[in-house]
Amino acid sequence: MATPKPGMPVRGSRSGRPIMAALDLLGRRWVMRIIWELRAEPLTFRELRARCDDMSPTVLNQRLHDLREAAIIELAEEGGYALSVLGAGLLESMGPLLNWSEKWQRALNKETT
């Protein structure tokens, strides 16, 4: 499966609108976990794999390839992988979604009590 990119057909959108390409990429298994684990520091392949519950090396390689091709991560100068400037911006832009999800959880918890 090709790396989702704006302007190209992606899952759920033949037009390849940028938001649809982003949602396709971010919705792939392990992508968000990899981004999350790289939030604070660069990590080697082995460190990432250990932090991601020992996901298969094949899947990790594919996700790292996809994220590098999408310019979300890059090779770190000291070795391993790190968020790119674009990737750090993506992580920062998810702050409001994180806040919303916590409100959502509280609202659902109120309904069940």
Side-chain angles (χ1 to χ4, degrees), residues 8-113:
M8 303 297 293
V10 297
R11 284 185 305 168
S13 173
R14 283 184 261 160
S15 68
R17 290 191 174 119
I19 188 65
M20 295 304 291
L23 290 173
D24 186 0
L25 177 64
L26 297 176
R28 291 183 175 191
R29 187 174 172 102
W30 296 108
V31 165
M32 290 302 301
R33 178 71 181 269
I34 293 167
I35 292 169
W36 179 253
E37 294 299 341
L38 293 173
R39 73 192 180 283
E41 62 186 338
L43 297 171
T44 65
F45 184 90
R46 284 185 182 180
E47 290 168 330
L48 264 172
R49 188 164 179 249
R51 290 189 187 193
C52 293
D53 303 322
D54 288 321
M55 81 168 88
S56 81
T58 303
V59 172
L60 180 55
N61 267 322
Q62 183 60 53
R63 295 304 175 255
L64 291 172
H65 173 269
D66 292 344
L67 289 167
R68 284 186 65 205
E69 193 170 309
I72 305 296
I73 65 170
E74 59 193 12
L75 293 175
E77 289 180 18
E78 57 275 5
Y81 299 89
L83 290 177
S84 65
V85 171
L86 195 59
L90 169 63
L91 191 61
E92 184 179 325
S93 71
M94 295 175 116
L97 183 58
L98 174 64
N99 293 336
W100 176 86
S101 68
E102 290 167 350
K103 289 177 188 175
W104 181 39
Q105 180 183 19
R106 287 191 297 275
L108 292 177
N109 286 343
K110 286 180 186 177
E111 290 177 10
T112 60
T113 57

